[in-house]
């Protein structure tokens, strides 16, 4: 659309064995194509550098902090949804599942939302902590007290994201 060349993102990856110390992850009801995550420790939450803040503002996004801003910039640069959670606010395993219509989630914008049935959710110990691919929840928000992150990157079905955005009225 802009007549600019596409960025060449390397397609080769090296697999190596690591000690994973994050929560168990389960995809239920075909709610996602794929989901991966990792724990990052000894994180210091600060303001982002001005040039990063400016780049986000130029895209219409509001700078939050260094971690959230880096996450958002990555999403904008390569088109891959990702989300940082405050790891210490998580209680158990992570499930990606479709909502049953009885859940309530307070989102990062401070609004409590009743979740319509069939919306993909990220659940922690059975409790919703994010609208998959749309917006995170307030209970696991990265704050200046955060020292450990659970950082997710996922591939969700477009039809589920469209349904979420339409039914929830959230354009993020």
């Amino acid at each position: 659309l802009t007549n600019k060349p596409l960025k060449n993102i390397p397609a080769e990856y090296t697999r190596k064995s690591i000690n994973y110390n994050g929560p168990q992850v389960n995809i239920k009801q075909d709610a996602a194509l794929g989901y991966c995550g990792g724990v990052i420790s000894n994180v210091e939450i600060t303001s982002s550098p001005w040039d990063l803040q400016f780049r986000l503002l130029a895209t219409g996004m509001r700078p939050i902090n260094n971690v959230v801003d880096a996450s958002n910039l990555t999403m904008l640069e390569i088109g891959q949804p990702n989300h940082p959670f405050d790891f210490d606010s998580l209680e158990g395993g992570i499930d990606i599942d479709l909502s049953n219509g009885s859940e309530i989630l307070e989102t990062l914008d401070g609004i409590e939302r009743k979740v319509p049935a069939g919306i993909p959710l990220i659940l922690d110990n059975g409790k919703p902590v994010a609208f998959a691919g749309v917006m995170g929840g307030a209970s696991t928000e990265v704050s200046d007290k955060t020292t450990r992150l659970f950082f997710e990157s996922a591939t969700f079905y477009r039809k589920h994201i469209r349904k979420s955005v339409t039914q929830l009225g959230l354009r993020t």
Side-chain angles (χ1 to χ4, degrees), residues 30-43:
D30 208 22
L33 286 163
Y35 187 96
C36 62
V39 177
I40 304 169
S41 298
N42 302 318
V43 175

Side-chain angles (χ1 to χ4, degrees), residues 120-131:
L121 293 171
I122 309 300
L123 301 156
D124 168 36
N125 224 17
K127 295 182 296 195
V129 293
F131 288 120

Side-chain angles (χ1 to χ4, degrees), residues 51-115:
D51 59 333
L52 195 152
Q53 290 186 41
F54 180 76
R55 288 179 72 187
L56 286 173
L57 288 167
T59 67
M61 296 185 86
R62 180 176 54 95
I64 308 292
N65 60 49
N66 57 337
V67 168
V68 174
D69 296 351
S71 168
N72 286 333
L73 188 61
T74 300
M75 180 192 62
L76 293 170
E77 286 284 324
I78 65 172
Q80 176 60 47
N82 62 80
H83 184 74
F85 295 90
D86 181 328
F87 180 71
D88 293 319
S89 67
L90 297 172
E91 297 174 4
I94 297 290
D95 292 321
I96 301 87
D97 201 357
L98 301 178
S99 62
N100 61 27
S102 67
E103 299 92 347
I104 295 176
L105 173 63
E106 181 182 351
T107 48
L108 289 169
D109 57 5
I111 298 173
E112 233 179 51
R113 301 173 192 277
K114 184 167 182 348
V115 184

Side-chain angles (χ1 to χ4, degrees), residues 7-14 78:
K7 291 183 180 180
N8 184 16
I9 299 173
E12 294 181 29
Y13 300 96
T14 303
I78 65 172

